[in-house]
Amino acid sequence: DIARALIGDASLLIMDEPTSGLDERAFRTTWDRLDMMRQELGLTILTTTHRPEEAERCDHISILNHGRIVASGAPHELRRRVAADVVVITAQQPDEVAARIHANLSIAALVDGDNVLVESDEGHRLLPRIVEMFPAGSFRAISLRRPSLGDVFLKVTGEALGEL
């Protein structure tokens, strides 16, 4: 749903889940056009989304959990709430993997579906320690990446986006 309202001399575009159900090409085209309108018309866009990649395009984000704002700020400010690196482990038994990491390394390991997420300021050093703790074949995949807004959401709410 798109509604447009004029507030004084400023234009405001309000959108609810604007790219829900769109493929990647349509997502990018939609946001390229919105960015163009924002620049050319001085448009302010207020949107709701469950898509972290959509929230990345915003200047300011408020994360809601059960109707309450639990975090707010620019995307780069919110990502600072998560450690410098995120180790992502995809496993058949993610709860067991998370429990073993917590027990052996005394660090929190969050389960998000088939994935186990472990925050670390030095992920490049933590990743081999985790691999060495488990027998071969325990993981389908293990990787290291920078934190996303999805990681921020999971950390501040304790829930994955798909659980809501």
Side-chain angles (χ1 to χ4, degrees):
D1 298 340
I2 298 178
R4 186 177 176 121
L6 291 177
I7 302 175
D9 292 331
S11 290
L12 174 66
L13 180 63
I14 302 170
M15 301 184 306
D16 182 19
E17 301 283 350
T19 61
S20 180
L22 297 182
D23 64 27
E24 188 62 24
R25 176 175 283 147
F27 168 86
R28 290 180 187 200
T29 300
T30 298
W31 275 100
D32 288 346
R33 288 182 183 155
L34 289 170
D35 287 340
M36 182 186 68
M37 291 170 59
R38 214 167 72 159
Q39 291 172 8
E40 291 180 5
L41 303 174
L43 188 65
T44 297
I45 301 172
L46 177 65
T47 187
T48 59
T49 186
H50 284 87
R51 296 181 67 172
E53 66 275 16
E54 190 160 59
E56 287 285 352
R57 293 176 165 268
C58 298
D59 296 325
H60 188 86
I61 301 166
S62 291
I63 298 175
L64 299 173
N65 189 31
H66 302 289
R68 295 183 176 254
I69 296 175
V70 294
S72 191
H76 71 277
E77 294 168 342
L78 292 172
R79 279 191 300 277
R80 283 191 207 132
R81 291 178 175 232
V82 179
D85 297 318
V86 178
V87 177
V88 181
I89 305 153
T90 305
Q92 298 255 355
Q93 306 292 328
D95 291 318
E96 291 176 20
V97 170
R100 189 164 175 187
I101 289 170
H102 179 69
N104 290 342
L105 300 175
S106 299
I107 55 177
L110 299 171
V111 175
D112 181 17
D114 289 346
N115 293 322
V116 178
L117 308 175
V118 182
E119 295 178 37
S120 175
D121 287 327
E122 294 187 327
H124 66 287
R125 293 183 187 189
L126 179 61
L127 193 141
R129 290 179 61 201
I130 291 173
V131 170
E132 291 170 357
M133 287 174 38
F134 292 89
S138 295
F139 311 140
R140 287 189 299 227
I142 187 167
S143 62
L144 179 65
R145 63 172 170 75
R146 304 296 296 164
S148 69
L149 287 174
D151 297 322
V152 175
F153 183 90
L154 182 62
K155 183 171 185 171
V156 300
T157 66
E159 300 178 71
L161 290 171
E163 294 174 358
L164 300 177

